[in-house]
């Protein structure tokens, strides 16, 4: 896999000086996150607990980098991803800093998407979705919305169910968590999505 990846990079370097290959001696999430701060987008893989060859990869690597890098991160599921990412997009929206940053990071995808669907949950979901819809309309991005008063099965399960029903190939959402004495704990929805994701997720 490493050789195949290196061959792709070497071929790309023949036509672009913007492509480089770097191998790090230290592979901790903190080290990777520090390098990611100088990139526009960080692409990561979901943990696959059944992959024996990934035993030497830091467990929770993707989640740690998403939290620590401060940059947009595209996390790919361990199941084969769709051939094209960003044609049918679902945005998980709540009026928070994290969700707003995720939508801004997703604008390059949203401008070329065929279908963009906004999902919100809670008593103010309709109003908040309407405001986001107006913002995206200003970018000439047409959207549809789904406002949920309550979510019985959990927000993460609902998002993945909607993604499957709509044939979505990208889920956009904020990354949530809280700090406990120098240790970062992911929020419930973020954790469940990273564990059970079936589509690429931009956080």
């Amino acid at each position: 896999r490493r050789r195949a990846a290196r061959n792709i990079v070497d071929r790309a370097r023949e036509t672009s000086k913007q492509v480089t290959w770097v191998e790090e001696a230290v592979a901790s999430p903190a080290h990777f996150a520090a390098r990611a701060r100088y990139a526009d987008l960080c692409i990561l893989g979901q943990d696959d607990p059944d992959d024996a060859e990934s035993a030497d990869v830091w467990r929770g690597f993707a989640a740690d980098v998403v939290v620590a890098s401060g940059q947009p991160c595209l996390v790919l599921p361990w199941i084969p991803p769709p051939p094209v990412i960003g044609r049918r997009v679902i945005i998980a929206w709540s009026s928070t800093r994290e969700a707003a940053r995720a939508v801004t990071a997703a604008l390059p995808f949203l401008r070329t998407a065929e279908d963009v669907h906004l999902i919100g949950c809670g008593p103010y979901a309709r109003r908040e979705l309407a405001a986001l819809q107006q913002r995206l309309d200003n970018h000439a991005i047409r959207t549809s919305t789904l406002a949920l008063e309550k979510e019985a099965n959990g927000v993460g399960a609902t998002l993945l169910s909607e993604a499957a029903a709509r044939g979505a190939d990208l889920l956009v959402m904020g990354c949530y968590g809280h700090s406990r004495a120098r240790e970062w704990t992911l929020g419930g929805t973020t954790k469940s999505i990273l564990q059970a994701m079936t589509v690429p997720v931009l956080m």
Side-chain angles (χ1 to χ4, degrees), residues 151-173:
E151 192 25 64
N153 299 322
V155 176
T158 296
L159 291 172
L160 293 178
S161 176
E162 282 291 318
R166 293 181 159 272
D169 50 36
L170 181 64
L171 171 63
V172 176
M173 62 179 288

Side-chain angles (χ1 to χ4, degrees), residues 40-55:
D40 297 316
L41 179 67
C42 183
I43 302 175
L44 302 161
Q46 177 196 25
D47 289 342
D48 180 2
D50 298 323
D51 183 2
E53 293 184 14
S54 69

